Amino acid sequence: MTKHARGERERLADLLAAAGPQAPTLCAGWTTADLAAHLVLRERRPDAAAGIRIGPLAGWTERVQRGYARRPYEELVALFRSGPPALSPFALPGADEAANVVEYFVHAEDVRRAGEGWRQEEVAAPLADALWQRLPMLARLEAGRRTPVRLVLERPDGRSCTVTHRTGPTVHLTGEPGELVLFAFGRGARTSLSVRGAETAVAALRRVLPLPGPR
């Protein structure tokens, strides 16, 4: 069994530890302390984690997360680094790898790219392929419902996936799988993607989803 989630957990924990509790992230309004509290809540409090996706429960989730955020930051990072407890759904065989590879990759980049002067870093081929494998479904869920144009995501080697099959002009986004994943999760402004398409189509996409600008 691959262990990409374990590797990305370690990378994210290292980035959080190095940044300290008050560093910015790409999660709107969250510091690194808020992000660490979110990560711990997500795998240690399934009763509260439901509010991450279910609107009516969001208030409960926020209250529990604020409680975690008041704990010492080093404790939060250590709890996250140690992995899910035995009774967590993420402790089930294969669950961590299935659910967390993309989650931890995106949040690691939320920490790493929040400041000025960020740059794209090479992602090892096995992890890049794992991200690419998960991309079509995630892009359709996260970005497809908001995309007003036909959207195609492409790797530099020519492999592609179509996110939406709408009629009309097509926008092509080309880049490494990690950059495409970040776009799908709303971090497109902090990616190294190239954008190709009719000016009006690109403008329509940019109105609903962040795209990279001039560097």
Side-chain angles (χ1 to χ4, degrees):
M1 181 180 293
T2 54
K3 297 294 182 184
H4 299 306
R6 180 74 249 181
E8 287 303 286
R9 181 191 294 273
E10 288 291 340
R11 184 170 78 98
L12 175 50
D14 288 345
L15 286 165
L16 288 169
Q22 297 305 316
T25 74
L26 296 185
C27 301
W30 281 6
T31 64
T32 40
D34 297 317
L35 176 54
H38 160 79
L39 292 165
V40 172
L41 174 150
R42 183 173 170 270
E43 61 186 13
R44 290 175 179 266
R45 288 291 303 271
D47 62 307
I52 296 171
R53 291 283 184 179
I54 302 172
L57 301 178
W60 170 235
T61 300
E62 185 178 349
R63 287 194 294 275
V64 176
Q65 183 166 314
R66 283 200 302 266
Y68 273 119
R70 288 192 288 269
R71 294 192 184 189
Y73 181 69
E74 294 77 9
E75 177 186 328
L76 290 176
V77 175
L79 282 171
F80 171 65
R81 191 190 296 274
S82 68
L87 296 180
S88 169
F90 295 112
L92 294 171
D96 191 39
E97 190 69 15
N100 289 331
V101 174
V102 171
E103 176 85 6
Y104 296 161
F105 174 84
V106 170
H107 283 321
E109 296 304 305
D110 283 339
V111 177
R112 198 179 68 78
R113 301 188 188 209
E116 296 303 319
W118 65 271
R119 60 184 179 84
Q120 179 185 346
E121 291 185 351
E122 184 176 354
V123 175
L127 174 57
D129 287 341
L131 294 172
W132 176 253
Q133 198 172 42
R134 291 161 170 78
L135 179 64
M137 182 183 70
L138 292 172
R140 288 169 191 137
L141 286 173
E142 298 292 337
R145 55 192 171 83
R146 290 178 285 168
T147 302
V149 299
R150 186 171 185 269
L151 178 62
V152 178
L153 307 181
E154 302 172 333
R155 295 181 70 164
D157 63 10
R159 283 178 281 178
S160 67
C161 70
T162 301
V163 177
T164 55
H165 293 270
R166 291 179 174 83
T167 57
T170 301
V171 175
H172 298 260
L173 299 183
T174 304
E176 297 295 339
E179 304 300 293
L180 294 168
V181 164
L182 290 170
F183 159 78
F185 280 84
R187 278 74 163 176
R190 292 291 177 113
T191 64
S192 299
L193 295 171
S194 64
V195 184
R196 187 173 83 257
E199 186 175 335
T200 53
V202 173
L205 180 60
R206 194 182 294 276
R207 282 194 289 271
V208 297
L209 287 167
L211 291 173
R215 292 293 304 277

